[in-house]
Amino acid sequence: MKWKRERKSTSNLTSKKFDEVLQFKGQCGRIDFSHRNMELYITVQNDNRDSQSQIENVKLLSGGERSFATLSLLISLGESVECPFRVIDEFDVFMDVVSRKVCV
């Protein structure tokens, strides 16, 4: 089944790109797709050198951290799926100066 291979490839690429975007801020993370359950699991580690800073529930992130993780997800999805253009409005409202600078 070709579409299952394509879906798995897209999932893996999205997770890899998500981690790459988070690396710009010294973080790391991963996205786990559960296609069977139609669920998405996001893990963010605020400091890529400290495994104790790993957060699996994005509700525990601050507003700015959550905005950065959401933007990282959108960027990684856009990179994985051929998208001719992307428009995002007011994505940086809750971000601190550092996160805003990294994103823009």
Side-chain angles (χ1 to χ4, degrees):
M1 301 221 206
K2 184 179 179 181
W3 68 271
K4 284 189 177 182
R5 284 193 310 268
E6 185 67 30
R7 181 178 69 180
K8 180 149 182 72
S9 174
T10 301
S11 299
N12 291 338
L13 183 59
T14 301
S15 185
K16 181 181 175 213
K17 292 287 184 182
F18 179 71
D19 184 56
E20 288 175 7
V21 173
L22 289 175
Q23 292 286 333
F24 285 114
K25 197 176 168 197
Q27 300 175 332
C28 61
R30 90 176 168 271
I31 302 172
D32 295 316
F33 293 85
S34 175
H35 299 290
R36 177 168 293 193
N37 299 330
M38 293 192 288
E39 294 178 337
L40 183 68
Y41 302 98
I42 298 174
T43 303
V44 176
Q45 191 170 318
N46 284 328
D47 184 352
N48 60 7
R49 296 166 291 164
D50 178 17
S51 62
Q52 298 297 317
S53 68
Q54 182 170 314
I55 298 172
E56 294 183 1
N57 184 350
V58 292
K59 291 180 181 178
L60 298 176
L61 295 171
S62 71
E65 292 169 336
R66 196 173 319 146
S67 293
F68 187 75
T70 301
L71 184 62
S72 299
L73 171 63
L74 293 174
I75 290 171
S76 62
L77 283 170
E79 293 288 322
S80 301
V81 179
E82 293 181 25
C83 182
F85 60 90
R86 295 173 231 164
V87 178
I88 302 174
D89 186 28
E90 296 186 13
F91 63 89
D92 61 344
V93 173
F94 298 107
M95 289 185 188
D96 59 21
V97 176
V98 174
S99 297
R100 188 175 291 122
K101 192 175 235 182
V102 169
C103 288
V104 179

